């Protein structure tokens, strides 16, 4: 029913910037929270940034001060502005959303992932 569509990934040089977008569609009553996770080769999936319906945010330690998460509630879209990128940021970035489909049903949804590569 619910789908998450990510865009904005690609190749960028160290020190550069990139902006990711994720739009949710389907049978949505309410989006309680949206965010981004990433997974690099040989590593576990980790939290990058997350924002709630009340606009409170959480960031992974490795991206604090460099990344900014925001949302557009009217478009059911979350954004991730990534600045001062370094090679350690190279990973597949996954959009995640906690969505209520009814007053009695809510669960997590995941996007397919978008590749971010930071290399000179």
């Amino acid at each position: 029913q619910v789908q998450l569509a990510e865009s904005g990934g690609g190749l960028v040089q160290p020190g550069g910037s990139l902006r990711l977008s994720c739009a949710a569609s389907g049978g949505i009553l309410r989006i309680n929270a949206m965010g981004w996770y990433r997974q690099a080769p040989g590593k576990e999936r980790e939290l990058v940034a997350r924002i709630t319906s009340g606009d409170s945010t959480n960031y992974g330690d490795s991206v604090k001060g460099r990344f900014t998460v925001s949302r557009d509630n009217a478009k059911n879209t979350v954004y991730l502005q990534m600045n001062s990128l370094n090679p350690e940021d190279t990973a597949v970035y996954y959009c995640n959303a906690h969505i209520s489909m009814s007053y009695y049903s809510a669960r997590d949804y995941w996007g397919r992932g978008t590749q971010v590569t930071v290399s000179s």
Side-chain angles (χ1 to χ4, degrees):
Q1 295 283 356
V2 175
Q3 291 187 321
L4 304 179
E6 301 130 323
S7 63
L11 176 65
V12 65
Q13 293 184 335
S17 298
L18 211 58
R19 180 178 167 91
L20 305 183
S21 300
C22 174
S25 61
I28 300 172
L29 177 64
R30 177 181 179 180
I31 300 179
N32 304 300
M34 296 186 76
W36 297 89
Y37 294 73
R38 69 185 183 186
Q39 188 166 24
K43 298 184 66 177
E44 298 292 323
R45 185 174 298 188
E46 65 176 350
L47 170 70
V48 177
R50 187 172 174 84
I51 185 167
T52 71
S53 60
D55 288 336
S56 64
T57 58
N58 296 99
Y59 293 93
D61 290 340
S62 63
V63 307
K64 289 179 180 177
R66 299 187 297 121
F67 292 7
T68 303
V69 65
S70 61
R71 65 185 295 170
D72 185 334
N73 292 336
K75 297 180 179 180
N76 289 333
T77 299
V78 63
Y79 306 94
L80 183 67
Q81 180 65 47
M82 303 184 291
N83 299 325
S84 301
L85 287 162
N86 58 64
E88 287 68 48
D89 296 315
T90 296
V92 177
Y93 285 69
Y94 296 92
C95 180
N96 169 263
H98 188 258
I99 295 175
S100 296
M101 290 75 69
S102 72
Y103 289 109
Y104 305 102
S105 179
R107 59 187 177 190
D108 282 332
Y109 290 87
W110 292 90
R112 293 182 179 272
T114 183
Q115 177 71 47
V116 172
T117 302
V118 185
S119 177
S120 60

